[in-house]
C-alpha cells in the first residue's frame, strides 16, 4: 500500500524559503547626490521571464556577431556582404536594398518609425526595451553568465569579493576578466566588420595589415564594452542613460509596469502562511528574494522607481516563493496602476455637493489672480518679432532705395539684422534660471511646482504660517489617556482613522489597531461625524461652557460627542520643530513680517507664538476665514506667502501670492502649493525664500544684458558693419553668455 506524503505545515513552508538580509540600494530616505558605488551581486533565478531574457539575449548576440558574415549575391562588381556600410563608396547595403546618400530620407523614415514604435511599446508595456533588448542589458547578462560560471552564485561571489587575496581568488579573477576581455574584443571586432568585407578585414586584422582606424575602433569598443559590461553595469542605466527619464514621462495609469500588490502583501512578516492562521500578516514573508535577484539592486515593494528596468526577474523570484508557501502567484507582477479587484464604492455626495468640489471652488477663485500674472519676458516677446522684422525691412529698403546699394548687399544687411538680434538671450532669461534654480532647490529637498513660483515668492514681504504640522511636528500625543475609557477611545479612533489630520492620527495611535468607519463625513476646520457621533472642535461637538470649564491647559484638544452622553475631551500635546526658533528669528532679521493663522484655540496658538517671538497671530480660523485674512493683507498692499499642510489650508495656499507645503501635507494642500519641501524642519523654507530673491536678481540681470546687447548690436548691423557670419557668432555668444550667467546661482550662499 502506498502512503501519501504529509502536507507540509505552514511553518515548514516558510522554512523552505531562503531568508536574505539585504538592503535595497535606493531607499526612501534622502541620501547624498554623489556616493560611492555599492557592488550588486544578483542571484540567479529561474522562471518564465528569465527564460524570455535568455532567449532575447541569445537572439540579439547571434544577430550582432553573425550578421557581418552573411552573404548576398548582388551580381558582378558588387559586394556580396548582406549588410554593409560602405563609407568610401557612399553606399549602404541591406540584403536586396541599396541606399545612396541622396536617399538618406529612407533611413530617416525608418528611424522615425522605429522611435515611434519604441514610444508606443513603452506607453503600453513600460520599460521592456531596457529590461530585455537594450545592448547594455544584453551584454551585462552575458558578463554575468561568465561571472557566475567562474565564481559561483551570489553568496560565493560575495565571499570571494570580501575575502583576502589567495591563489584561488587570483585564478578566478584572472579567468573571469580574461573571458570578459575576449568578449569585449569580439564585440569591437564585430562592429568594424559592418564597415568592410568581414572575411577580408578579419585576415587583415590578424596579420596586422588593417588600417589604423580599424585597430583604434576595435580598441575603443573593447574598452567601453569591458568597462560598461563588467564594472559600470547598473550605473549606466541610473546615471548615464537619459532614456529612463524619457520613458517615465510616457507611462500612465494604463501602462504595464512591474509592481507589488502591497494591499495583499502588507503587513510583511514571517508569520504562519498557507492554510495556517494569518495572524494579521499579508502574503509577503519578507524573504527579500525580489531584491537579491534584481540586477539594479532595488526593492520593487517600494513602488515604481526610476532604476527599475522592468526585467521582471523579481516576478519569477516572488512566484517561486508563493509556490513554496502555498499562496497565489503574482504578488509581484506586470500590472497597470490599479492592482486590485474591482472596487465597490458607495457615493455619499456627487458633483457640486462633495467636499472636494467645495475645496476646488475655493481654490479656483483664489487662483484667478495668478492667471493674470504676465512675465516680463512674455510682454517683451509680444513686440519682439514684429519690431525685429520691421527693423530688417527698414534696413533693406533704406540701403536699397536711399543708400544707393544694390539689392543683394542691402538684403545681406537685413539678414544680418535678423540674425544678430538675440531672441535667445531674451527667451532664455527666465527658463534657464528657473531650471538651474529648480535643480538647486531639488538638491535641498524642495520640489518646484509652479513655473513662476520663484518670481512671485521673490516679491513676498509677509509670511503666514499654519501651526500644526508646519511650525510643530504635527505628531501630537494624547496626554490624558488614563482619563478616557478604552471603549470611548476605540469608538473615537474608529472615526479618526478616516482622517489624515495630525490630531486624529494621534487618537488612532493611542488606541492601537482599530477598524475604520468607512462612512465618516469630514468637514474641514470642524471635525468628523458618523451615525450621530461627532469628533472635532468644541463648536462642532456642541460643547457648552460648563463642559469646557477649567480645561485651558495649553494643549490641543478634540471632543468626542455621543448622543445622550457627556462629551469627552482628548488633550493632545505637540512639539515645536527643533529649528523653528532659529529659522523664524533669522527670517524676521531679514525683514519678513511673520504671522500665525491657525484653526486651533487661542490657548494653544498663543504659547507657540510666544515661544517663536511672533507677535501677530490668529486662532480658531476656519478655511474661509484664513482666505479672508490673506485677502485683507493683500488689500493692504502686502505680498503674502502661506506655509501650511492641512486640508483646510488648501484654499489659503491657493489664495496667497506664493505658497509652500511640507511633503507630509495632505494631497490637496500639496496640489495647491507652489513649492513642496521635504524634511522635518523649516530650513527649506528659508532656503527657498533666499533662492527666490537670487533668481529674481539674476533674471533682471539677464534682461538687462539682453537689452544692452540688442541696443548695441542692432545699430551696428543696420549700419552695415556686421556680416551675417559675425552676426551669427555674436548671437550665439550672447546666448552662451546668458546660459553661463545662470550657473552663477551655484555660487550663491543658501541657508
Amino acid at each position: 500500500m502506498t502512503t501519501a506524503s504529509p502536507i507540509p505545515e505552514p511553518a515548514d513552508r516558510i522554512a523552505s524559503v531562503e531568508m536574505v538580509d539585504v538592503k535595497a540600494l535606493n531607499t526612501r530616505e534622502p541620501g547624498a547626490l554623489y556616493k560611492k558605488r555599492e557592488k550588486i551581486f544578483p542571484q540567479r533565478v529561474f522562471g518564465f521571464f528569465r527564460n524570455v531574457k535568455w532567449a532575447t539575449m541569445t537572439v540579439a548576440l547571434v544577430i550582432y556577431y553573425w550578421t557581418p558574415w552573411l552573404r548576398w549575391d548582388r551580381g558582378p562588381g558588387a559586394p556580396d556582404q548582406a549588410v554593409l556600410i560602405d563609407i568610401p563608396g557612399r553606399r549602404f547595403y541591406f540584403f536586396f536594398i541599396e541606399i545612396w546618400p541622396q536617399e538618406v530620407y529612407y533611413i530617416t523614415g525608418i528611424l522615425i518609425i522605429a522611435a515611434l514604435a519604441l514610444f508606443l511599446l513603452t506607453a503600453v508595456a513600460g520599460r521592456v526595451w531596457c529590461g530585455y533588448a537594450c545592448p547594455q542589458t544584453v551584454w551585462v547578462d552575458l558578463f554575468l553568465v561568465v561571472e557566475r560560471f567562474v565564481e559561483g552564485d551570489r553568496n560565493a561571489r560575495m565571499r570571494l569579493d570580501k575575502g583576502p587575496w589567495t591563489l584561488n581568488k587570483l585564478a578566478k579573477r584572472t579567468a573571469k576578466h580574461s573571458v570578459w576581455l575576449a568578449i569585449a574584443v569580439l564585440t569591437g571586432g564585430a562592429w568594424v566588420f559592418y564597415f568592410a568585407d568581414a572575411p577580408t578585414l578579419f585576415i587583415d586584422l590578424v596579420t596586422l595589415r588593417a588600417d589604423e582606424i580599424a585597430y583604434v575602433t576595435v580598441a575603443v569598443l573593447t574598452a567601453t564594452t569591458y568597462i560598461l559590461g563588467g564594472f559600470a553595469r547598473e550605473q549606466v542605466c541610473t546615471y548615464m542613460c537619459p532614456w529612463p527619464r524619457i520613458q517615465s514621462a510616457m507611462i500612465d495609469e494604463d501602462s504595464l509596469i512591474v509592481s507589488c500588490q502591497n494591499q495583499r502583501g502588507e503587513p510583511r512578516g514571517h508569520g504562519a502562511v498557507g492554510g495556517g492562521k494569518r495572524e494579521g500578516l499579508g502574503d509577503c514573508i519578507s524573504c527579500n528574494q525580489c531584491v537579491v535577484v534584481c540586477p539594479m539592486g532595488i526593492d520593487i515593494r517600494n513602488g515604481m522607481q526610476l532604476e527599475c528596468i522592468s526585467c521582471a526577474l523579481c516576478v519569477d523570484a516572488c512566484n517561486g516563493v508563493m509556490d513554496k508557501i502555498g499562496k497565489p502567484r503574482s504578488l509581484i507582477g506586470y500590472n497597470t496602476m490599479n492592482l486590485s479587484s474591482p472596487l465597490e464604492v458607495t457615493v455619499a455626495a456627487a458633483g457640486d455637493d462633495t467636499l472636494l468640489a467645495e475645496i476646488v471652488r475655493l481654490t479656483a477663485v483664489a487662483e484667478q489672480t495668478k492667471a493674470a500674472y504676465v512675465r516680463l519676458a512674455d510682454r517683451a516677446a509680444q513686440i519682439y518679432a514684429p519690431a525685429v522684422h520691421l527693423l530688417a525691412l527698414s534696413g533693406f529698403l533704406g540701403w536699397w532705395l536711399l543708400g544707393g546699394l544694390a539689392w543683394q548687399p542691402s538684403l545681406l544687411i537685413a539678414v544680418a539684422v535678423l540674425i544678430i538680434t538675440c531672441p535667445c538671450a531674451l527667451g532664455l532669461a527666465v527658463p534657464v534660471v528657473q531650471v538651474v534654480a529648480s535643480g538647486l532647490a531639488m538638491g535641498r529637498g524642495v520640489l518646484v511646482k509652479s513655473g513662476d513660483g520663484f518670481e512671485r515668492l521673490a516679491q513676498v514681504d509677509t509670511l503666514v504660517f499654519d501651526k500644526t504640522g508646519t511650525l510643530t511636528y504635527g505628531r501630537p500625543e494624547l496626554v490624558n489617556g488614563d482619563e478616557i475609557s478604552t471603549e470611548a477611545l476605540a469608538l473615537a479612533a474608529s472615526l479618526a482613522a478616516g482622517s489624515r489630520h495630525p490630531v486624529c492620527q494621534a487618537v488612532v495611535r493611542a488606541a492601537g489597531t482599530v477598524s475604520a468607519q468607512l462612512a465618516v463625513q469630514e468637514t474641514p476646520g470642524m471635525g468628523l461625524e458618523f451615525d450621530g457621533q461627532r469628533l472635532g472642535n468644541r463648536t462642532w461637538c456642541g460643547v457648552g461652557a460648563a463642559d469646557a470649564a477649567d480645561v485651558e491647559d495649553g494643549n490641543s484638544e478634540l471632543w468626542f460627542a455621543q448622543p445622550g452622553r457627556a462629551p469627552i475631551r482628548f488633550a493632545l500635546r505637540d512639539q515645536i520643530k527643533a529649528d523653528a526658533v532659529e529659522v523664524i528669528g533669522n527670517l524676521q532679521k531679514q525683514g519678513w513680517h511673520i504671522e500665525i493663522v491657525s484653526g486651533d484655540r487661542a490657548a494653544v496658538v498663543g504659547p507657540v507664538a510666544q515661544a517663536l517671538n511672533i507677535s501677530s497671530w490668529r486662532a480658531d480660523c476656519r478655511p474661509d476665514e484664513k482666505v479672508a485674512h490673506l485677502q485683507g493683507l493683500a488689500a493692504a498692499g502686502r505680498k503674502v506667502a502661506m506655509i501650511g499642510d492641512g486640508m483646510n489650508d488648501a484654499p489659503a495656499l491657493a489664495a496667497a501670492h506664493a505658497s509652500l507645503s511640507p511633503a507630509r501635507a495632505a494631497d490637496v494642500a500639496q496640489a495647491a502649493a507652489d513649492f513642496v519641501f521635504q524634511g522635518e524642519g523649516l530650513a527649506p523654507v528659508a532656503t527657498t525664500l533666499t533662492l527666490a530673491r537670487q533668481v529674481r536678481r539674476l533674471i533682471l540681470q539677464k534682461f538687462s544684458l539682453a537689452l544692452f546687447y540688442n541696443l548695441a548690436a542692432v545699430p551696428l548691423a543696420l549700419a552695415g558693419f556686421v556680416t551675417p557670419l559675425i552676426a551669427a557668432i555674436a548671437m550665439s555668444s550672447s546666448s552662451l553668455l546668458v546660459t553661463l550667467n545662470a550657473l552663477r546661482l551655484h555660487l550663491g550662499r543658501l541657508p
Side-chain angles (χ1 to χ4, degrees):
M1 184 176 68
T2 304
T3 303
S5 301
I7 299 176
E9 294 295 327
D12 297 331
R13 294 177 178 177
I14 288 184
S16 67
V17 179
E18 179 186 2
M19 303 292 171
V20 184
D21 183 15
V22 62
K23 182 180 180 182
L25 295 189
N26 64 329
T27 59
R28 292 185 175 182
E29 294 78 17
L33 182 60
Y34 302 101
K35 62 179 181 179
K36 183 179 179 181
R37 176 181 181 251
E38 300 180 37
K39 290 185 179 179
I40 300 176
F41 300 90
Q43 182 171 289
R44 188 175 183 183
V45 64
F46 301 91
F48 173 78
F49 294 106
R50 177 65 269 184
N51 292 335
V52 173
K53 281 178 65 67
W54 287 135
T56 305
M57 182 189 77
T58 302
V59 171
L61 292 175
V62 168
I63 291 175
Y64 177 76
Y65 288 118
W66 189 250
T67 297
W69 301 92
L70 296 177
R71 302 292 99 183
W72 189 269
D73 186 10
R74 297 186 178 88
D80 64 348
Q81 187 163 307
V83 179
L84 176 65
I85 304 173
D86 184 4
I87 294 179
R90 304 177 69 188
R91 301 285 190 278
F92 172 49
Y93 300 95
F94 186 80
F95 293 95
F96 60 88
I97 300 174
E98 180 179 343
I99 297 179
W100 290 41
Q102 60 268 32
E103 298 172 329
V104 71
Y105 51 84
Y106 285 128
I107 298 295
T108 304
I110 292 173
L111 292 176
I112 292 175
I113 293 172
L116 293 176
L118 183 58
F119 298 161
L120 176 62
L121 179 66
T122 300
V124 173
R127 296 181 57 186
V128 291
W129 164 263
C130 295
Y132 296 90
C134 174
Q136 176 67 15
T137 297
V138 170
W139 264 265
V140 167
D141 272 355
L142 180 60
F143 275 45
L144 280 173
V145 170
V146 175
E147 188 174 283
R148 289 195 185 100
F149 179 80
V150 175
E151 298 181 352
D153 205 1
R154 180 176 185 272
N155 293 336
R157 301 203 308 274
M158 292 177 65
R159 287 193 300 269
L160 185 69
D161 185 71
K162 295 179 180 179
W165 280 94
T166 62
L167 289 177
N168 177 59
K169 182 174 181 177
L170 180 62
K172 289 185 175 181
R173 288 293 170 85
T174 301
K176 179 183 73 173
H177 287 279
S178 298
V179 178
W180 281 1
L181 280 172
I183 294 173
V185 171
L186 291 175
T187 302
W191 178 258
V192 298
F193 291 155
Y194 284 91
F195 296 85
D197 182 67
T200 304
L201 181 57
F202 175 75
I203 295 174
D204 289 344
L205 287 171
V206 174
T207 58
L208 304 181
R209 292 182 300 176
D211 292 337
E212 181 180 346
I213 186 62
Y215 292 106
V216 172
T217 303
V218 172
V220 170
L221 291 177
T222 297
T224 54
T225 304
Y226 178 67
I227 294 172
L228 299 184
F231 299 95
R233 292 185 178 176
E234 78 287 345
Q235 303 291 97
V236 175
C237 303
T238 303
Y239 298 107
M240 296 174 62
C241 181
W243 189 235
R245 283 85 177 167
I246 299 173
Q247 290 184 103
S248 298
M250 300 180 187
I251 294 175
D252 59 21
E253 65 274 10
D254 296 317
S255 303
L256 287 173
I257 59 173
V258 177
S259 56
C260 178
Q261 298 188 51
N262 287 325
Q263 77 277 12
R264 172 185 156 192
E266 300 289 344
R268 310 172 194 171
H270 302 333
V273 294
K277 187 178 179 181
R278 287 301 306 128
E279 299 180 354
L281 297 177
D283 288 355
C284 179
I285 61 174
S286 289
C287 61
N288 292 326
Q289 289 292 323
C290 58
V291 180
V292 296
V293 302
C294 179
M296 302 298 293
I298 67 171
D299 189 344
I300 196 63
R301 295 170 296 182
N302 289 338
M304 185 178 178
Q305 298 155 65
L306 179 143
E307 293 87 350
C308 178
I309 60 174
S310 295
C311 64
L313 296 183
C314 54
V315 178
D316 286 336
C318 187
N319 284 342
V321 173
M322 293 297 104
D323 291 343
K324 290 181 179 179
I325 66 175
K327 285 292 180 180
R329 287 187 163 203
S330 300
L331 175 60
I332 299 175
Y334 273 109
N335 299 285
T336 56
M337 293 297 184
N338 181 12
L339 304 180
S340 60
S341 302
L343 301 176
E344 181 179 343
V345 179
T346 300
V347 179
D352 293 338
D353 297 328
T354 61
L355 168 64
L356 179 59
E358 177 63 23
I359 292 176
V360 169
R361 280 195 293 270
L362 288 170
T363 303
V365 170
E367 284 184 334
Q368 287 178 357
T369 54
K370 293 183 183 178
Y373 187 88
V374 181
R375 299 188 184 97
L376 179 60
D378 294 335
R379 293 198 297 267
Q382 291 175 359
I383 62 173
Y384 181 85
V388 168
H389 285 81
L390 285 175
L391 279 175
L393 179 61
S394 300
F396 171 71
L397 295 176
W399 281 105
W400 182 31
L401 299 178
L402 303 178
L405 287 181
W407 70 269
Q408 294 94 338
S410 300
L411 181 61
L412 285 179
I413 292 176
V415 170
V417 171
L418 288 174
I419 294 176
I420 204 168
T421 53
C422 190
C424 299
L426 188 62
L428 291 175
V430 175
V432 170
V433 175
Q434 287 183 335
V435 168
V436 176
S438 297
L440 283 174
M442 184 67 73
R444 298 297 186 97
V446 180
L447 172 65
V448 182
K449 292 179 64 251
S450 174
D452 61 349
F454 280 122
E455 296 177 34
R456 288 185 281 107
L457 190 61
Q459 300 169 357
V460 164
D461 55 22
T462 302
L463 305 177
V464 175
F465 286 86
D466 175 48
K467 181 185 71 68
T468 304
T470 305
L471 294 174
T472 65
Y473 283 106
R475 291 192 296 271
E477 299 297 333
L478 187 64
V479 296
N480 67 334
D482 54 345
E483 303 173 4
I484 303 171
S485 68
T486 304
E487 178 186 2
L489 180 59
L491 286 173
S494 67
L495 271 69
S499 173
R500 290 184 59 182
H501 196 283
V503 294
C504 290
Q505 292 301 309
V507 174
V508 175
R509 288 194 300 271
T513 304
V514 295
S515 298
Q517 295 290 352
L518 301 181
V520 170
Q521 296 182 352
E522 181 172 1
T523 301
M526 301 300 290
L528 307 165
E529 183 177 12
F530 170 73
D531 195 23
Q533 304 173 87
R534 287 192 170 190
L535 181 70
N537 61 29
R538 297 181 180 187
T539 305
W540 177 251
C541 295
V543 178
D547 295 317
D550 301 326
V551 294
E552 295 298 350
D553 51 8
N555 292 320
S556 298
E557 65 179 19
L558 276 179
W559 287 86
F560 183 44
Q562 298 173 279
R565 298 188 181 184
I568 301 173
R569 180 177 184 262
F570 292 79
L572 306 115
R573 183 174 301 151
D574 201 357
Q575 298 294 323
I576 298 176
K577 291 183 176 180
D579 65 345
V581 174
E582 179 184 359
V583 171
I584 296 297
N586 289 336
L587 292 176
Q588 289 173 330
K589 291 178 182 177
Q590 295 172 24
W592 275 287
H593 174 71
I594 297 179
E595 297 186 8
I596 299 177
V597 176
S598 174
D600 217 334
R601 296 174 299 115
V604 181
V605 180
V608 173
Q610 184 177 5
L612 298 176
N613 195 27
I614 298 175
S615 58
S616 180
W617 55 272
R618 288 171 174 257
D620 296 307
C621 291
R622 296 190 306 273
D624 56 335
E625 292 175 335
K626 291 184 178 182
V627 173
H629 178 61
L630 295 187
Q631 291 174 342
L633 290 173
R638 292 189 175 274
K639 301 291 187 181
V640 183
M642 177 71 190
I643 303 98
D645 73 316
M647 179 186 295
N648 56 349
D649 293 322
L653 290 167
H657 192 67
S659 53
L660 300 92
S661 180
R664 295 178 180 271
D667 293 340
V668 68
Q670 294 188 42
D674 299 314
F675 302 88
V676 176
F677 59 90
Q678 297 178 341
E680 296 285 353
L682 292 176
V685 175
T687 298
T688 309
L689 290 167
T690 303
L691 184 58
R693 290 190 170 183
Q694 293 179 359
V695 166
R696 183 188 184 190
R697 183 169 61 251
L698 200 56
I699 287 176
L700 292 177
Q701 290 177 2
K702 292 163 76 67
F703 278 134
S704 301
L705 179 63
L707 180 63
F708 172 78
Y709 165 81
N710 283 285
L711 289 177
V714 173
L716 291 175
L718 280 172
F721 295 117
V722 179
T723 66
L725 176 60
I726 296 177
I729 295 174
M731 185 272 293
S732 302
S733 300
S734 65
S735 300
L736 182 61
L737 182 61
V738 166
T739 303
L740 292 176
N741 189 39
L743 299 179
R744 291 176 51 234
L745 275 176
H746 289 282
L747 304 177
R749 298 184 61 182
L750 297 175

